[in-house]
Amino acid sequence: MQSEMNFYKFDRAEWSQFHSQNFTSVTDAELAQLRSLNDEISLDDVKTIYSPLRHLIHIRYEDYQGDMFTLSRFLGMQRNPHTPFIIGIAGSVAVGKSTTARLLQLLLSRAYPDKRVQQITTDGFLYPNAELERRGILDRKGFPESYDMQLLIHFMNNVKNASGVVRAPKYSHQIYDIVPDEYEVIDRPDILIVEGINVLQLPSKQPIYVSDYFDFSIYVDADPTLIEQWYLERFGILLDTAFTDPSNYYYQYAIGNRKDAFDMARKVWRDVNLKNLKEYILPTKNRADVILHKTTGHKIDQVALRKW
């Protein structure tokens, strides 16, 4: 274990020692279903990295429930308010946030069979492409100004205050846009996992921000050169699956010159995703409670745990 500034740092073997005794088993088939395109995760990752992480979340969740009980006693309430425990997961495009979110949802659902554990991505709170074009910021899609932050804050506030069924816009990577008249439904969860590149960013001229609603947060980290490699690999897979579907956003690139398509993808990475990572996403890393650092092959080689 290393201690640096406000984080304890553990290599893979050290972190595995915090393994939960009541480990929740996961099958290869389940892992195949929840992993993102070109992401890699193994049963050993589940036991070595994610089982200790689930155990830590279990402890934090118990503490949270105790705090809610204490508050209800102070206020003289007959019963605890139904206030969900919210986990935020941040990191770059193509780093594997969605795989982490879906795996944690599975593990927590198994650990708490009587609880409702749901997951959502902030992609749905991007402005529709037509609105981004109207604002002249389509080439800055994913940057802070491309999100309807007022709508996202309103959503988070309703979820945290247990305001019944809450709906969020649905985003499709196939059409690269918000899906008209389709919604993700969040129905009074006990635990909600919120995944997105922007979830740990600090507010800009706003009194409250997304991370203010989090009770636990995770940052998925990797060297930008590796993330670019994963981004391009994912782009290639998207091309391979899009050439038969003219409605797919990637169809135009799939049927065209492949070199030109990859030149375009590299430009998007350099001018949009890498710029966004360096200027807005990476600076939020040290705000997380846990940092999962990935190396070649998406292998998590180090876990950093916030001291305070």
Side-chain angles (χ1 to χ4, degrees):
M1 180 190 75
Q2 300 176 13
S3 178
E4 182 179 324
M5 297 186 67
N6 59 330
F7 282 90
Y8 296 112
K9 294 186 178 181
F10 306 91
D11 63 28
R12 193 176 173 92
E14 291 171 327
W15 180 254
S16 70
Q17 299 305 306
F18 303 117
H19 171 68
S20 172
Q21 293 303 312
N22 51 346
F23 169 67
T24 303
S25 62
V26 176
T27 67
D28 279 319
E30 287 171 328
L31 282 185
Q33 285 186 333
L34 59 81
R35 71 166 59 95
S36 299
L37 283 178
N38 84 300
D39 200 354
E40 297 180 33
I41 190 167
S42 67
L43 292 176
D44 183 62
D45 294 325
V46 176
K47 186 172 183 179
T48 302
I49 301 296
Y50 287 97
S51 182
L53 179 58
R54 187 207 64 85
H55 185 53
L56 175 60
I57 293 172
H58 168 73
I59 295 170
R60 293 289 184 91
Y61 184 42
E62 283 194 330
D63 289 344
Y64 175 78
Q65 290 178 305
D67 289 342
M68 291 298 100
F69 176 72
T70 299
L71 180 60
S72 65
R73 283 180 57 198
F74 174 74
L75 296 174
M77 294 180 176
Q78 295 296 320
R79 49 194 280 181
N80 283 1
H82 184 90
T83 307
F85 183 82
I86 301 182
I87 301 168
I89 301 179
S92 171
V93 167
V95 79
K97 301 181 303 301
S98 296
T99 299
T100 294
R102 288 192 287 263
L103 178 54
L104 281 180
Q105 182 185 15
L106 176 63
L107 294 177
L108 291 170
S109 295
R110 295 264 172 88
Y112 302 107
D114 59 334
K115 304 289 186 183
R116 184 188 296 271
V117 183
Q118 292 191 273
Q119 178 221 335
I120 195 166
T121 172
T122 59
D123 289 348
F125 295 93
L126 285 160
Y127 286 115
N129 288 349
E131 177 62 18
L132 293 174
E133 283 190 36
R134 189 187 71 80
R135 296 179 179 225
I137 56 172
L138 185 58
D139 61 345
R140 288 180 64 82
K141 189 170 184 176
F143 283 73
E145 66 268 27
S146 66
Y147 288 87
D148 188 340
M149 292 310 305
Q150 186 174 354
L151 183 61
L152 179 53
I153 295 299
H154 181 69
F155 168 83
M156 295 297 299
N157 192 62
N158 284 339
V159 171
K160 197 67 171 175
N161 284 290
S163 303
V165 175
V166 183
R167 291 176 172 82
K170 188 173 183 179
Y171 185 85
S172 168
H173 288 279
Q174 280 66 45
I175 66 171
Y176 195 62
D177 204 350
I178 302 297
V179 182
D181 302 319
E182 289 193 26
Y183 300 91
E184 302 284 357
V185 177
I186 302 301
D187 186 7
R188 292 175 289 270
D190 297 286
I191 301 174
L192 177 66
I193 300 169
V194 180
E195 173 255 313
I197 62 175
N198 61 333
V199 296
L200 290 179
Q201 289 168 15
L202 290 168
S204 176
K205 300 178 182 178
Q206 293 177 346
I208 194 167
Y209 203 65
V210 182
S211 58
D212 292 326
Y213 295 94
F214 293 162
D215 303 294
F216 188 81
S217 58
I218 299 165
Y219 186 96
V220 185
D221 189 29
D223 185 279
T225 304
L226 269 180
I227 304 175
E228 178 184 11
Q229 175 189 323
W230 299 336
Y231 173 79
L232 294 173
E233 288 172 354
R234 186 176 73 176
F235 179 75
I237 294 172
L238 290 169
L239 293 187
D240 292 339
T241 57
F243 68 92
T244 60
D245 181 8
S247 67
N248 191 302
Y249 171 79
Y250 295 93
Y251 177 79
Q252 59 183 318
Y253 303 108
I255 64 173
N257 182 278
R258 198 168 181 90
K259 180 181 181 302
D260 290 344
F262 272 91
D263 286 344
M264 181 279 299
R266 290 187 184 92
K267 185 176 188 302
V268 170
W269 170 261
R270 182 186 68 244
D271 297 345
V272 179
N273 295 317
L274 181 59
K275 185 177 176 66
N276 195 14
L277 173 60
K278 289 182 175 180
E279 293 183 6
Y280 295 104
I281 303 169
L282 195 56
T284 72
K285 178 171 71 172
N286 290 334
R287 302 187 68 227
D289 293 303
V290 167
I291 301 169
L292 303 177
H293 183 269
K294 288 186 170 186
T295 186
T296 306
H298 283 270
K299 184 174 182 178
I300 296 172
D301 63 339
Q302 186 182 77
V303 178
L305 175 63
R306 176 178 288 280
K307 295 179 185 176
W308 58 80

